[in-house]
Each structure stands twice: as structure tokens, then as C-alpha cells.
Amino acid sequence: MSYQIKEMVQEIEKKWQERWRENPPAQTKPTGNGKKFYCLDMFPYPSGSGLHVGHWRGYVLSDVYARVKWLEGYNVLHPMGWDAFGLPAENDAIKKGIQPHVSTAQNIAVFKRQLEQLAAIYDWRKEVNTTDPHYYKWTQWIFLQMYKAGLAYRTTMPINWCPLDKTGLANEEVVNGACERCGTPVIQKEIPQWVLRITNYADKLLTGLDKLEWPEKVKTMQRNWIGKSEGVTIYFEVAGSKERLEVYTTCPETIFGVTFLVMAPEKETVLRITTREQKIEVKEYQALIQAMTPQGRTQGGNPDIPRGVFTGAFAINPVNGAQIPIYLASYVIADYGTGVVMGVPAHDTRDYAFADTFELPIVQVIESPEALKDDEGNLLVAYEGDGTLMNSSWLNELPAKTEGAARAIEELEKRGVGKHKLTYKLRDWIFSRQRYWGEPIPLVHCERCGIVPVPEDQLPVELPIVERYQPTGTGESPLAGIPEWVNTTCPQCKGPAKRETNTMPQWAGSCWYFLRYPNPHLETAAFDPQDMRYWLPVDLYVGGVEHAILHLLYARFYVKVLHDLGHLPFDEPFAHLFNQGMVLKLSEKSGLVEKMSKSKGNVVNPDDMVTLYGSDALRIYILFMGPPELDCEWQDSGMSGVARFLQRFWNFVTDPAHRCTDAQESREVTARLHRFLKDFQERIGHFKPNTAVASFMEWLNDASSGKYQLGPHSLEKLLVTLSVFAPHMASELLEQLLKKDLAACSWPTYDASLAVVNEIVIPIQVNGKLRGEVAVAPDTPQDIVRPLAEQKIARWLEGKKVVKLVFVPNRLINFVIQD
């Protein structure tokens, strides 16, 4: 881009940003004012590193759809705010050596400046900040509603503890045995915790997914995390003891194949059943696994810790009276199921390995031609498929997974040794954190009255400004060391009491922020019922798939609770969810194409790109990079290409030779424009903005080669369409050429009869194999066909690298990928 053009772009964009700052377009109208469209971004936590172009991808995408609806005449709510409490913000402040409220304010200022360059039609009157006492007053109010409803409780329990962040973590915040945020291996630590009964909503959270217009992969992730299973609890008597062990299984048909039981080492009955001879060995084993996280134990455990240990006790199989040994193993967790599992080594891979280690019997009870056996008929590996029951007495010859399972449950219940049951993998949500930078939990501890809620008219319980806020590592928040804040009066008996010193997790403020946006300055309630009926649920929610379990699950839980308590008229917050893919770039440190990260040296700062090419060019390139739901690799050369396209477009429409009166415009030019509008709007409607950009480029190629002349009516349609991608340039051209303001325009319509086009079908191949086809106008060039083809065969290209492209005009396009 030449210096003169760069200077012109900067002047134009500065001019319009200043004008929009003084007179913001697309301001939200009052509740009830016409048809509405609530477009929401997952609001950012304002880190010290600022935004990179990966963040822009979601924000630009949502702005396109907000702008379309605004131009269609909808009352648009498109807000922005800050998820500013929690570990990321506190750790950033610690690194800088300043107070969290200071660093958070500084970071927000940087983010707002960068977002202004984006030119999204955010209504900044709706801005929220989770650290504002006027906001977290209502975060505390919601917690009190849960507490009063019995959905929040305090318990001392072993929790996931991050030694680096020095705080407890929810199960969802632990990935492969490490802290999801910093990657530090997590240990178990037993401290008092506040916990939310999200398990009470397991079934509602599961069934609610069926009515949502969400990506199937996100719904699958949530279904798997909730983990509903149908089975039976079977009662095993302990030989020579009055103890009875309960075992939950989803495979009751394999009851005759049980040759051992495995217990969680921390289960309270372990030492009661352990024989004298085995007690020392059992206690040593318990000590070994005490520090392991549940995730680490279920995901393979520690290779240095033995697979299991024998208790010396035996259980009695209730269907055949066989005595079977009882072991302990790290992979069984006390609060998963019943904390005891039955070992069926012939039909479970993990049980097979366990039986092989301890030389336990392997009894096959499901026969199938697919089962792998040696010459003597012994299973070589566990067979986990379906088949016909064998070696199972009254279950023999029955189909295992259907009639066999049903008959087993029926007989176990008849004999009084089993009970049909539904279970869930979901665990209650550990809600308290032993850190400073978070919402204080609005409860007090009174020796006379116990735990007492802070009266609602005394909210918010404000977070005090302190000199030292660094985590203590003792299991208590730094707030515990501030006696003037901790010591208070009991709201019930007026005697001495102490405040709860744990704070809420970062998720507390983000679970309901979308309810606050319609009326963020409301002082009498968290939200207004009339606003809720009009604005909610959110029509379009855009954000990363990394929030599939944590934020999205927690937000759904909050909304369902508030609905059941009579505060909301809906029970699902987000009608339509769109997950944008990540922007990847070559890492200077690893030499690999990876997610952008400052630590990897591969961050692209949007400020730099805006300075070089302009905001409009960056917006369009981000949309053009590839299908928006897939990860894509940043290429600096792509910015140059988009900048050239915008320059060509500017030169074309500002050239008087390409303009005429409406009456002089030829039918060919009008028809081509209407074909473009139809194509563009259909692609936008199907969430294919990259191909909509290609459609624009294709129109410009045709218009330039055909020396089109546009009348004012067609020119306006063209510029208004461009405005959703390049609002600065479109606004400038509308003003210069047509003396119009974008706010006075409306979304263009097309004439279907004029939009009819003759098309050809081009086969799409991947490594020479037909994977799809795309319909385009004859002689469409490669740079237009490629993004259309990529969209059609996205699943074949996901995670692959295209090493070569073969394009034969009007004949085929072939992607050569590296497996």
C-alpha cells in the first residue's frame, strides 16, 4: 500500500471513528420498540497483553450480523463489557506489582481503544464491569437466592488445589491433572468450601440441549460432561462381616462374569473391611494416592503407584454365591458412582489389565464371533461389544445388551439385591476461591446463629482495598487477615460475627452478565421482568468453543435456577450459539503453527495491522481467511491482497466513468448486481462470510472487465452491503458520492427475477478423490472458487495442511493435503 493511500485510509477511518464517538450509530432503542435482535460476544477478561487478531475474529463476525439486523430495521442490542474479576486479572496485577483495581482499569482502557478501531456498533451505554460494586451487588444477590433455596452449601472436602495460583479449582478447571489456566499439576487439599448443587439440575441441563440451535460438538461435550447413565445398584455382602457394598453398573448383564471388586482407597468402609494382615499395606497405598486429583486418577494415574492393593476381604456375588476378592485402586473415586466397581475382566479393557496384573480369573459371559481368542478358546483381549450371553445360568442365550440387561435388572430387584438407577458423572460445583480479587460471599458466621445471609438491603458486601492481596497458600483468602473487615455484627442476634472470607470464582460474574445488559444502571433489581420478556434469550452468541463446558454450562445452570425461582420467564439463555475457530500463526520458538500466544512469540497485534492497512482491510481479511468455524492460519500476504481489493473498489466507484443515472443503467448491470445481492445475502445467512467476501470480489472483477456504469440506486445498495464488512469506507463513499448517511439507509433487497443466473458445477477433489461440488458462474477465477470450495469440504480439510492446489477453470479444483 502506497504512503498516499495509507494516509488517506487513516484520515478516513479517524474521521468516522471521531464522528461515531460523538454520535454513535445503531444505539439500542427502549424495550418494546419494534422487533429485536440481541447479538452478544463472550465478553473478554482484560489481560495486560491487550487484544490480538484472534480476538477480532469473533468480534468482527458478530458485528457483521448486528449491522445486518440494524439495517433491516431491528432494535439491536449489541453490548460489550469486562469479565474483570478472577485469577487472570489478579495474576496480571501481581506480575506488574500494582493493585488489581489499578491494573484492571488500565487494561480496560487499552481494550476499549482497540475495540474502537474495530468500529463495531457496540452501545457503550450498556457497558458492564464485573468488578463494579453496582454490578456485583446483584451477583451476590443471586448467590443468596441459591443459598436460601438450598442450592449452596458449605462442606470440608478434598479439592483440586493449584500450588502456583494457591487456590481451589472446580473439576471443570482441571485438564489432564493440571490447572486449566496455568498448567501446574494439581494436588488434593482438604479445606472448607462453598459448593453449588449443580447436580440437582443435571437432567434439566441435559434435556435442555435438545431445543438449542448450537454446534453439535458443543452439545456433545456438555452431554458427555453431565454423563447420564442408566443402570442398577447391586448389593454385595462382605464375607464374614455385617458390611454391605453397593456397586453401580451400566452392564448388569455381566453379573456372572464378576471375579473381583475394586474400591476407592478413600472410601470410609475400607479399613472396616480390611483384614489385620493387610492393614499396613492398605494404609500405605491410601497415603500414596492422597495427593492425586480425581482427573489424574481416572486418566491413567501415576505409573510409580501400584495398580492396586488387596484388602484381604472377599465379597459374595449375589447371583451365584461366589466369593470374590476386594481390591483398592486409584482409578475408583469415592464420589463417582458408589465408590465401588465390579471387575468383569472378560468384557472391560481396564478390568482385563487389572486381572492380568493380579492373576485373577477371567470369565467370558458374552459370546460373539468378533471376540479374539487363542487356540484354547481364551480371550486374548477384553471383548466390549454385544453378543449372546453364556456362562450366566438363567441369562444364557439372551441378547446381552437388550433382553439380557433387562432380565438381569428384573431378577436382581426381585431378589432384593439390586435397584434400577439413573446416575450422572456431573459433580457439584466448587464455588469458593482462596484469593482476593473476586466477589465477597455475602454470608457471616455467628457462634450463636451459625451461618447467616447478609440482608439484601445491605448489599453489596464490598471488596476492601488492601495493601497486600497476594494469595496466602494457607487455604484462606487474604481477606482473613483484615480484622476490621472480617469482624462484623450478626444480622439476626446482633452479636459478634465474622464475614465469610472466601471469594467467588471468575465464573460468578459471567454466568448472568447477559441479563444485565438490557438495563445495566437499574438500581432496584438485577434485571427488569419487562426487559427479560422482550430481549431474552440472546438471539446470537459468538465465542470460542473453549468455553463449551465451563462458562456455557454454568450460565445455563444460573438461568435455570433463576427461572425455577420465578425470576425469569425462560430457562435457556442463548438460542443460537456460534463458535469461531482460532487464528493460528507460526511460532518463532517451536517452529510450529500454533494458537496465538505472547509466550510463543506468534501474536499479531491488530494495532500494527490497522496502522499498515486500515481497520476495514483487517475486518475483511479476518472474514476472508476461511470458514469462520474452523481454525485458520494467519498470512501477512493476505492483508496486502485485501487492501488491494479495497483500493480497486474505491477507484472503480469514484471514477465518474462508472456512474450514470438510474435511467441510464443497463439491464445487464442491474441484473448482475441483483445476482450479487442474492448470492451475498444467502452466504451471510448460512454463516459463510468468507464466501460472501469472495462474492464481492467476483462482482468487482465482472464490473471492472465489463466497464459497468452504476446508477445512484444500485450504488447505494452496493455501498450499504459493503458497510457490514468495511464501515469506514462505505460511510465515506455514501457521503461523498450520494450525500447520504449510513444511518438513513436500509438493508438492500433484490429482485428474484433479475437474480436468475446460469451456473456451472465444478467438482471438488481432495487428493484426487471427489468430495463435493460447487456451483459458480462460468469462468469464475480461482481466488473466488477456492473459498467456496473450502466451505463445502470443510470437514475434509480440518486439521490438514494444503500443500498444493490444482485448479482447471470451469472443470475442477483439487486440494492436495498432507496427511
Side-chain angles (χ1 to χ4, degrees):
M1 181 182 288
S2 69
Y3 173 79
Q4 291 82 0
I5 294 172
K6 185 191 301 184
E7 191 174 53
M8 182 186 76
V9 168
Q10 290 175 346
E11 288 179 0
I12 289 172
E13 294 190 350
K14 180 182 177 183
K15 163 190 169 180
W16 285 100
Q17 286 173 18
E18 288 176 352
R19 186 178 296 186
W20 293 331
R21 194 182 305 120
E22 293 175 6
N23 296 292
Q27 294 287 274
T28 306
K29 300 172 187 174
T31 292
N33 199 316
K35 53 188 179 179
K36 66 93 179 181
F37 183 72
Y38 188 172
C39 183
L40 183 65
D41 295 295
M42 291 185 183
F43 68 165
Y45 68 82
S47 67
S49 56
L51 296 172
H52 58 65
V53 295
H55 298 118
W56 268 49
R57 196 175 193 198
Y59 300 151
V60 171
L61 186 68
S62 64
D63 189 58
V64 166
Y65 290 91
R67 284 180 173 276
V68 169
K69 290 298 182 181
W70 170 56
L71 290 164
E72 286 181 337
Y74 282 75
N75 185 7
V76 173
L77 174 58
H78 188 37
M80 179 52 72
W82 317 106
D83 187 14
F85 263 142
L87 285 176
E90 184 174 304
N91 286 340
D92 181 54
I94 291 173
K95 184 188 297 184
K96 293 175 179 174
I98 58 179
Q99 289 288 332
H101 70 275
V102 174
S103 64
T104 298
Q106 292 174 350
N107 295 343
I108 287 173
V110 172
F111 272 54
K112 284 191 77 168
R113 177 188 60 77
Q114 289 183 308
L115 287 173
E116 188 178 73
Q117 292 178 331
L118 173 70
I121 53 171
Y122 295 130
D123 188 339
W124 287 107
R125 300 172 305 170
K126 304 292 186 178
E127 181 181 3
V128 300
N129 183 330
T130 58
T131 69
D132 182 346
H134 293 95
Y135 178 87
Y136 70 72
K137 167 183 179 177
W138 300 109
T139 305
Q140 293 173 339
W141 176 85
I142 293 172
F143 175 85
L144 288 181
Q145 308 317 301
M146 292 186 176
Y147 177 79
K148 293 171 184 177
L151 293 170
Y153 63 96
R154 190 172 187 259
T155 184
T156 298
M157 60 188 295
I159 66 161
N160 306 307
W161 181 267
C162 176
L164 182 63
D165 288 330
K166 297 181 182 178
T167 191
L169 304 173
N171 288 335
E172 294 88 339
E173 295 174 293
V174 179
V175 179
N176 297 325
C179 174
E180 183 263 349
R181 199 204 64 79
C182 69
T184 302
V186 170
I187 63 172
Q188 293 290 283
K189 189 166 185 173
E190 191 161 299
I191 56 176
Q193 288 290 323
W194 282 98
V195 185
L196 298 186
R197 298 187 194 275
I198 192 173
T199 53
N200 284 18
Y201 280 78
D203 204 52
K204 288 184 177 180
L205 289 168
L206 193 61
T207 57
L209 292 168
D210 295 336
K211 65 181 180 181
L212 296 179
E213 190 180 348
W214 285 20
E216 196 55 43
K217 64 180 177 182
V218 174
K219 295 198 283 188
T220 298
M221 290 168 73
Q222 289 208 5
R223 289 188 182 108
N224 291 341
W225 188 261
I226 295 167
K228 181 178 181 179
S229 61
E230 185 173 1
V232 61
T233 299
I234 304 175
Y235 310 120
F236 288 78
E237 302 292 339
V238 178
S241 167
K242 294 182 180 179
E243 296 290 341
R244 185 178 76 165
L245 302 180
E246 295 185 1
V247 177
Y248 175 78
T249 180
T250 57
C251 301
E253 70 279 2
T254 64
I255 183 63
F256 285 94
V258 178
T259 60
F260 60 93
L261 297 185
V262 183
M263 296 180 67
E266 69 272 28
K267 198 163 175 63
E268 70 281 356
T269 53
V270 167
L271 292 178
R272 295 205 298 266
I273 69 166
T274 300
T275 62
R276 185 184 300 109
E277 296 79 10
Q278 291 297 108
K279 266 199 167 59
I280 293 177
E281 191 175 354
V282 163
K283 287 182 177 179
E284 288 176 348
Y285 188 76
Q286 288 177 316
L288 280 173
I289 68 158
Q290 189 173 10
M292 295 178 65
T293 67
Q295 290 77 13
R297 286 165 59 175
T298 57
Q299 294 168 2
N302 187 332
D304 297 327
I305 294 178
R307 188 183 292 274
V309 63
F310 181 41
T311 65
F314 290 83
I316 300 172
N317 190 321
V319 296
N320 59 14
Q323 290 201 9
I324 54 178
I326 304 172
Y327 283 78
L328 307 183
S330 63
Y331 65 79
V332 184
I333 312 297
D335 62 350
Y336 282 18
T338 65
V340 187
V341 300
M342 61 189 206
V344 187
H347 305 291
D348 182 276
T349 300
R350 186 169 57 186
D351 292 349
Y352 188 98
F354 194 93
D356 186 57
T357 298
F358 293 99
E359 298 181 350
L360 299 170
I362 298 175
V363 178
Q364 183 182 1
V365 293
I366 300 177
E367 180 61 286
S368 169
E370 297 177 7
L372 298 177
K373 299 180 183 182
D374 61 20
D375 294 338
E376 296 178 359
N378 300 310
L379 286 172
L380 294 171
V381 294
Y383 172 66
E384 296 182 330
D386 202 357
T388 303
L389 287 166
M390 60 184 288
N391 296 326
S392 298
S393 183
W394 35 269
L395 289 176
N396 283 340
E397 305 301 326
L398 292 176
K401 303 294 183 183
T402 52
E403 295 177 42
R407 174 71 191 284
I409 293 174
E410 179 185 357
E411 189 65 28
L412 288 165
E413 288 189 319
K414 185 190 297 183
R415 297 184 182 197
V417 294
K419 186 175 182 180
H420 182 255
K421 188 178 181 181
L422 291 176
T423 65
Y424 298 86
K425 189 173 72 173
L426 181 69
R427 304 263 86 48
D428 278 345
W429 175 11
I430 297 173
F431 193 71
S432 50
R433 297 293 182 269
Q434 297 70 43
R435 298 287 290 237
Y436 163 72
W437 193 237
E439 301 92 339
I441 294 175
L443 298 169
V444 300
H445 300 266
C446 173
E447 289 188 5
R448 181 183 300 176
C449 305
I451 298 173
V452 182
V454 173
E456 293 179 10
D457 62 3
Q458 293 181 22
L459 298 178
V461 176
E462 291 201 37
L463 185 69
I465 302 299
V466 298
E467 288 185 16
R468 180 172 177 79
Y469 60 88
Q470 287 79 1
T472 63
T474 64
E476 284 191 308
S477 160
L479 294 175
I482 311 173
E484 62 272 23
W485 185 84
V486 174
N487 295 321
T488 186
T489 301
C490 174
Q492 285 186 190
C493 71
K494 308 306 178 185
K498 294 184 180 295
R499 294 191 186 280
E500 172 63 49
T501 58
N502 280 348
T503 54
M504 299 185 196
Q506 180 182 1
W507 313 107
S510 64
C511 283
W512 74 281
Y513 75 110
F514 45 89
L515 303 177
R516 188 69 176 169
Y517 274 138
N519 200 341
H521 307 296
L522 183 65
E523 296 183 356
T524 56
F527 38 79
D528 182 85
Q530 186 177 350
D531 293 331
M532 296 301 98
R533 286 190 293 270
Y534 177 72
W535 285 111
L536 276 294
V538 172
D539 296 288
L540 175 62
Y541 197 22
V542 177
V545 73
E546 65 269 19
H547 297 295
I549 302 275
L550 293 165
H551 164 60
L552 290 173
L553 187 68
Y554 293 158
R556 295 182 62 225
F557 167 60
Y558 261 53
V559 165
K560 288 183 182 297
V561 169
L562 291 170
H563 171 266
D564 287 355
L565 295 178
H567 299 295
L568 294 176
F570 53 90
D571 69 347
E572 287 288 349
F574 315 121
H576 183 190
L577 172 71
F578 188 89
N579 295 129
Q580 83 276 8
M582 293 186 295
V583 178
L584 311 177
K585 193 175 186 297
L586 185 67
S587 169
E588 296 175 1
K589 295 185 178 180
S590 69
L592 302 174
V593 175
E594 298 179 285
K595 176 183 177 181
M596 285 189 182
S597 168
K598 191 174 182 180
S599 64
K600 296 171 183 173
N602 65 345
V603 166
V604 177
N605 190 326
D607 294 359
D608 298 336
M609 294 299 105
V610 169
T611 299
L612 287 172
Y613 300 102
S615 174
D616 286 345
L618 180 55
R619 285 173 60 107
I620 292 179
Y621 178 55
I622 282 173
L623 294 169
F624 188 52
M625 289 174 75
E629 71 275 13
L630 299 182
D631 296 346
C632 56
E633 183 180 352
W634 177 272
Q635 299 286 351
D636 289 344
S637 59
M639 282 294 299
S640 301
V642 168
R644 287 194 298 272
F645 159 70
L646 285 174
Q647 184 180 341
R648 287 179 58 220
F649 183 86
W650 175 278
N651 293 340
F652 179 87
V653 298
T654 56
D655 185 345
H658 294 137
R659 298 201 303 276
C660 63
T661 65
D662 286 334
Q664 292 173 325
E665 183 176 287
S666 71
R667 182 176 177 80
E668 177 191 356
V669 169
T670 305
R672 180 64 185 89
L673 178 71
H674 282 257
R675 290 200 302 272
F676 157 71
L677 292 174
K678 177 178 182 294
D679 194 37
F680 182 94
Q681 292 177 13
E682 286 178 349
R683 293 174 183 186
I684 288 290
H686 288 99
F687 275 82
K688 300 175 181 178
N690 59 315
T691 64
V693 174
S695 182
F696 227 120
M697 293 176 172
E698 185 178 356
W699 177 88
L700 183 60
N701 287 342
D702 289 351
S704 300
S705 62
K707 298 181 180 178
Y708 288 3
Q709 287 186 313
L710 295 171
H713 189 64
S714 290
L715 181 58
E716 179 178 332
K717 286 178 178 286
L718 188 67
L719 295 177
V720 172
T721 301
L722 178 68
S723 73
V724 301
F725 288 169
H728 304 89
M729 178 182 284
S731 296
E732 181 69 17
L733 290 170
L734 279 166
E735 183 178 75
Q736 280 193 26
L737 303 179
L738 299 174
K739 311 302 180 189
K740 298 195 74 170
D741 186 89
L742 183 60
C745 300
S746 59
W747 190 240
T749 57
Y750 60 85
D751 184 330
S753 64
L754 290 173
V756 175
V757 62
N758 294 322
E759 294 181 325
I760 60 172
V761 175
I762 296 180
I764 309 170
Q765 297 177 348
V766 177
N767 288 349
K769 295 182 179 179
L770 182 65
R771 298 303 188 192
E773 55 186 30
V774 60
V776 295
D779 301 317
T780 300
Q782 175 182 310
D783 62 338
I784 304 299
V785 174
R786 177 171 182 167
L788 298 174
E790 287 175 334
Q791 183 74 42
K792 290 280 188 180
I793 58 163
R795 70 188 184 97
W796 298 101
L797 299 181
E798 188 171 8
K800 307 293 184 182
K801 182 177 182 180
V802 178
V803 295
K804 185 179 180 182
L805 185 74
V806 178
F807 178 70
V808 181
N810 299 329
R811 297 288 299 277
L812 69 83
I813 184 168
N814 179 32
F815 295 85
V816 181
I817 63 174
Q818 194 174 57
D819 289 324

